[in-house]
């Protein structure tokens, strides 16, 4: 393992990024369902906030995927693992 310290650092950074984004995804996916009644007492753009969070769930997922892509490209460049297309 000592032969590739930069790859090991890159792998650790990738694991941290993945863990953080999975926690964000889990919170954004499950917490609105658990607290739907409380969220529906708040109105957002004329709609109950619980309904808004459920309706916009796909766009939040796409945002997380986009953040992952941008961040991973930066990590690959930082550690010299990026292939120039």
């Amino acid at each position: 393992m000592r032969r590739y310290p930069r790859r090991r650092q890159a792998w650790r950074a990738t694991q941290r990024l993945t863990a953080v984004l999975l926690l964000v995804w889990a919170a954004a996916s499950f917490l609105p369902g658990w607290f739907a009644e409380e969220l529906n007492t708040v109105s957002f753009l004329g709609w109950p906030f619980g309904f808004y969070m459920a309706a916009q769930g796909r766009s939040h997922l796409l945002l997380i995927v986009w953040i992952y892509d941008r961040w991973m490209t930066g990590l690959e460049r930082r550690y010299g693992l990026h292939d120039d297309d």
Side-chain angles (χ1 to χ4, degrees):
M1 283 292 173
R2 287 302 203 210
R3 288 178 40 184
Y4 303 106
R6 302 238 341 132
R7 286 189 183 199
R8 186 178 181 106
Q9 291 171 344
W11 178 241
R12 295 295 295 163
T14 300
Q15 287 177 320
R16 281 192 303 271
L17 173 63
T18 303
V20 168
L21 290 179
L22 280 174
L23 287 173
V24 169
W25 166 79
S29 297
F30 297 114
L31 289 178
W34 286 333
F35 298 106
E37 288 185 32
E38 291 85 0
L39 289 174
N40 284 336
T41 61
V42 177
S43 179
F44 184 76
L45 298 174
W47 296 92
F49 191 64
F51 173 79
Y52 174 79
M53 289 297 292
Q56 297 301 319
R58 292 290 180 221
S59 62
H60 295 134
L61 177 63
L62 292 175
L63 178 64
I64 290 172
V65 170
W66 183 81
I67 290 170
Y68 181 80
D69 175 58
R70 296 288 90 210
W71 208 319
M72 280 304 299
T73 301
L75 285 175
E76 289 172 352
R77 286 189 176 131
R78 182 182 317 151
Y79 291 106
L81 302 172
H82 185 70
D83 294 332
D84 293 324
D85 294 331

